[in-house]
Amino acid sequence: MLQTVSKVTQVLDLFSLENPEWSVGEAARTLGYPKSSVSELMASLANRRLLCRIGKGRYRLGWRIFELSQTLLQTAEFRVEARRVMEDMVGQWREIMHLAVLDGVQAVYVEKLQPTPAVKILVSWAGARLPAHCSGVGKVLLAYSPWENISANLRHMGMPKLTPHTITDLDELERELERIRERGYGYDIEEVSIGLRCVAAPIRDCEGNVIAAISFSVPAFRFKEREEEFTEGILKAAQRISAALPKHARSLPRELTTLHR
Amino acid sequence: MLQTVSKVTQVLDLFSLENPEWSVGEAARTLGYPKSSVSELMASLANRRLLCRIGKGRYRLGWRIFELSQTLLQTAEFRVEARRVMEDMVGQWREIMHLAVLDGVQAVYVEKLQPTPAVKILVSWAGARLPAHCSGVGKVLLAYSPWENISANLRHMGMPKLTPHTITDLDELERELERIRERGYGYDIEEVSIGLRCVAAPIRDCEGNVIAAISFSVPAFRFKEREEEFTEGILKAAQRISAALPKHARSLPRELTTLHR
DNA sequence: TCTTGCGTTCGAATATGCCGAACGCAAGAC
DNA sequence: GTCTTGCGTTCGGCATATTCGAACGCAAGA
């Protein structure tokens, strides 16, 4: 593990929705490095446009980040088709939909579509992260990943309890994932947020590997009324997406080793 | 300039739409570094999820890139309002619209909206780059930037001639930018692509600084017929966006120094 | 089975990033 | 106006993390 790479990511990770701007001093204090080092580091990153300098010693994320992410998205073939179908669906069903991929034990939300008059938001923007063990898409993604890896990672990272319904026991999770594999889809019964239920289904590439998952997120009362319809709907959508994938479509397989440090 | 940061960006920059996957060997040969060094570098980046390992020594861009870019986008306040207005406009006018910001002398396309039955594509995806001196949004952005910087950079980078109408003379460009400032908007008369015209207008923050630009891209024949309408339309849209910006809305000012190496 | 080509591991040489101190600058106190 | 304070940047010697050639292990193909 190269130390500088580690420091680069530590700096990049500082920037968030709450703190989109950082000065050299703040960053140095937060990270616990001497400010001279941080100054050089940030200046270098800005020179390469990974950061953007706004006034003396103040920085934001730079546009090169955005470009890189677009390259990433454009080369994730499954996303294009998924989006087309999901747009259809949202227009018709008027419910929020998400598309997510698995990265470690975190579900990365790649798309978030909602009917035009915004209702309520679960994950407020595509690109957010949620522990995979509690959400619908997350559990579906976990269900089709090697259990040894998952369990090792979860043991290491812990399983935060977001609501009373969140699964926090490894054995129980294993059984839940087994159920998901049997049925071919998964529920989230207010495990992320009270009053919000969800049904999720896997998207498969041409070889049958699960590469992503989509979901409906619906207020609990409405979900109960029309559970079967939502389930059928999401399954059909996932199948349409899977079937429409180009022959050579490949997932962007996730690294399964554990993180250093 | 920290060397490792430079190497990190060199590696990240390898990944493109044409070559979304790289092996250690290919990367090492392309960059001219020993493969052992590149191997360690890429392994480190993958460990921090800036890259994603797909099989022995093969890598893609990692999802952390995507997350970082979402943070960037969400904290660029002008984008949210711009998108709302642009969606309106596209629905009504049924023409392609772009939103771009300036990064150095390149226009980075942050949004691209098109009416539902896709017509023709100029910039195929948000996040693309085009030399600023030839496109409508590009010229508008240049018009409101310090000329000393622009001209120095353009001299250094050159001014590619995309069509016979592309401006490739510095003095002529300076006069064109002057015209744009006088009028308050700019045209692209088939300077990027023959048969495609464009009218662009600047978006200003509360202090009057130009922070972005939007444009209509329209087939030449249709543009000629309704030039004035398009111009008025885009101006009004730009003003609506500017006016709707939150009080504290700030651009993400671009670094104006030249790049090392 | 042998060969070839790949990615990874290893260890010693050294160039590189690190950090404390000094500097320059600007804002605010007195 | 001057002094003080706090900031970011610059500098240079030191120590250590990075580098790179060589050796290794592995898998695919001859």
Side-chain angles (χ1 to χ4, degrees):
Chain A
M1 183 70 208
L2 297 190
Q3 218 171 58
T4 312
V5 171
S6 169
K7 289 191 181 166
V8 163
T9 58
Q10 284 181 64
V11 168
L12 291 178
D13 289 346
L14 287 176
F15 296 86
S16 66
L17 291 186
E18 298 75 41
N19 295 55
E21 279 183 38
W22 287 82
S23 70
V24 171
E26 290 160 358
R29 247 172 283 123
T30 306
L31 297 176
Y33 296 121
K35 60 180 177 168
S36 56
S37 307
V38 175
S39 174
E40 289 170 304
L41 190 50
M42 292 179 104
S44 297
L45 288 170
N47 189 271
R48 288 305 199 246
R49 305 217 182 284
L50 291 177
L51 290 185
C52 172
R53 179 181 243 252
I54 51 174
K56 246 180 79 143
R58 290 197 76 74
Y59 295 90
R60 276 176 168 265
L61 290 174
W63 288 109
R64 169 142 292 166
I65 298 279
F66 176 66
E67 294 176 78
L68 287 170
S69 97
Q70 289 300 322
T71 304
L72 168 61
L73 287 182
Q74 292 297 322
T75 54
E77 299 98 339
F78 70 89
R79 206 188 62 98
V80 180
E81 186 56 29
R83 177 153 190 132
R84 235 176 41 78
V85 175
M86 287 168 75
E87 275 169 354
D88 264 27
M89 296 280 296
V90 169
Q92 193 180 327
W93 290 74
R94 313 208 63 71
E95 298 289 354
I96 297 171
M97 294 189 77
H98 292 118
L99 172 68
V101 299
L102 188 65
D103 187 32
V105 286
Q106 301 259 287
V108 177
Y109 288 81
V110 179
E111 292 279 7
K112 181 213 167 188
L113 296 180
Q114 54 186 325
T116 21
V119 203
K120 211 187 256 180
I121 31 179
L122 162 60
V123 177
S124 48
W125 39 280
R129 239 167 218 270
L130 225 54
H133 71 276
C134 51
S135 73
V137 278
K139 287 192 295 183
V140 166
L141 290 167
L142 289 181
Y144 298 97
S145 292
W147 174 249
E148 319 83 62
N149 262 295
I150 303 299
S151 55
N153 271 313
L154 285 176
R155 241 187 290 272
H156 183 246
M157 312 263 290
M159 297 170 67
K161 192 180 188 72
L162 300 193
T163 77
H165 302 103
T166 308
I167 299 175
T168 54
D169 180 66
L170 261 188
D171 294 335
E172 198 185 331
L173 181 63
E174 192 175 7
R175 285 192 295 275
E176 166 76 353
L177 299 188
E178 177 58 31
R179 272 196 298 276
I180 291 174
R181 280 190 296 268
E182 276 169 23
R183 290 193 301 237
Y185 56 87
Y187 292 115
D188 150 18
I189 310 292
E190 310 184 38
E191 293 160 53
V192 172
S193 174
I194 289 295
L196 198 66
R197 302 200 172 191
C198 160
V199 56
I203 292 176
R204 298 167 182 277
D205 65 15
C206 54
E207 293 172 358
N209 305 310
V210 172
I211 58 176
I214 58 174
S215 73
F216 271 127
S217 299
V218 186
F221 67 91
R222 218 184 308 155
F223 191 81
K224 287 179 204 157
E225 285 170 12
R226 308 176 55 195
E227 179 180 323
E228 281 154 41
E229 288 174 71
F230 284 122
T231 305
E232 275 173 43
I234 203 74
L235 273 174
K236 216 170 277 177
Q239 281 155 12
R240 277 174 65 198
I241 294 170
S242 300
L245 288 179
K247 298 292 159 299
H248 58 291
R250 287 254 308 277
S251 65
L252 305 184
R254 49 265 182 184
E255 179 66 7
L256 291 170
T257 59
T258 41
L259 300 172
H260 296 151
R261 286 233 187 181
Chain B
M1 182 70 211
L2 297 191
Q3 219 172 56
T4 312
V5 171
S6 170
K7 289 188 183 169
V8 164
T9 58
Q10 284 180 64
V11 168
L12 291 178
D13 288 346
L14 287 175
F15 297 85
S16 66
L17 291 186
E18 298 75 40
N19 294 56
E21 277 183 39
W22 286 82
S23 70
V24 170
E26 290 161 359
R29 249 172 280 124
T30 306
L31 297 176
Y33 296 120
K35 60 179 179 169
S36 56
S37 305
V38 174
S39 172
E40 287 169 306
L41 190 49
M42 291 179 103
S44 295
L45 288 170
N47 189 271
R48 289 306 199 245
R49 307 222 182 280
L50 291 175
L51 291 185
C52 171
R53 180 180 241 252
I54 51 171
K56 245 181 81 144
R58 290 198 76 75
Y59 294 90
R60 278 176 167 267
L61 291 174
W63 288 108
R64 171 143 287 168
I65 298 279
F66 175 66
E67 293 176 79
L68 287 168
S69 97
Q70 290 299 323
T71 303
L72 168 60
L73 287 182
Q74 293 296 322
T75 53
E77 298 101 338
F78 68 90
R79 206 189 63 98
V80 180
E81 187 55 28
R83 174 152 192 137
R84 236 176 40 78
V85 176
M86 287 168 74
E87 275 170 355
D88 263 29
M89 297 281 295
V90 168
Q92 195 179 329
W93 291 75
R94 311 208 64 71
E95 300 287 353
I96 297 171
M97 294 190 79
H98 292 118
L99 171 68
V101 299
L102 189 65
D103 187 31
V105 285
Q106 303 257 286
V108 177
Y109 288 81
V110 179
E111 290 280 5
K112 180 209 166 192
L113 295 180
Q114 54 186 326
T116 21
V119 203
K120 213 187 255 179
I121 30 179
L122 163 61
V123 177
S124 48
W125 39 282
R129 243 166 214 270
L130 226 55
H133 70 278
C134 51
S135 72
V137 278
K139 287 192 295 183
V140 166
L141 290 167
L142 289 180
Y144 298 96
S145 293
W147 174 249
E148 320 84 62
N149 260 296
I150 304 297
S151 54
N153 271 313
L154 285 176
R155 243 188 288 275
H156 183 246
M157 310 265 289
M159 298 170 67
K161 192 180 186 73
L162 299 193
T163 78
H165 302 103
T166 308
I167 298 175
T168 54
D169 179 67
L170 260 186
D171 294 337
E172 199 186 329
L173 181 63
E174 193 175 7
R175 285 192 297 276
E176 167 77 352
L177 298 188
E178 178 57 31
R179 272 195 300 274
I180 290 175
R181 280 189 296 267
E182 278 170 22
R183 290 192 304 235
Y185 56 88
Y187 292 115
D188 150 19
I189 311 292
E190 308 184 39
E191 294 161 53
V192 172
S193 173
I194 290 294
L196 198 66
R197 302 199 172 191
C198 160
V199 56
I203 293 176
R204 297 166 183 279
D205 65 17
C206 54
E207 294 171 357
N209 305 310
V210 172
I211 58 173
I214 57 173
S215 73
F216 272 127
S217 300
V218 186
F221 69 91
R222 217 184 310 154
F223 191 81
K224 287 180 204 158
E225 285 170 13
R226 310 177 55 194
E227 179 179 322
E228 281 154 41
E229 288 175 70
F230 283 122
T231 306
E232 276 173 43
I234 202 75
L235 273 173
K236 215 168 281 176
Q239 282 155 12
R240 277 175 64 198
I241 294 170
S242 301
L245 288 180
K247 298 293 157 298
H248 58 291
R250 288 255 306 279
S251 65
L252 307 184
R254 48 264 181 186
E255 181 66 7
L256 291 171
T257 59
T258 40
L259 301 171
H260 297 152
R261 286 242 187 169

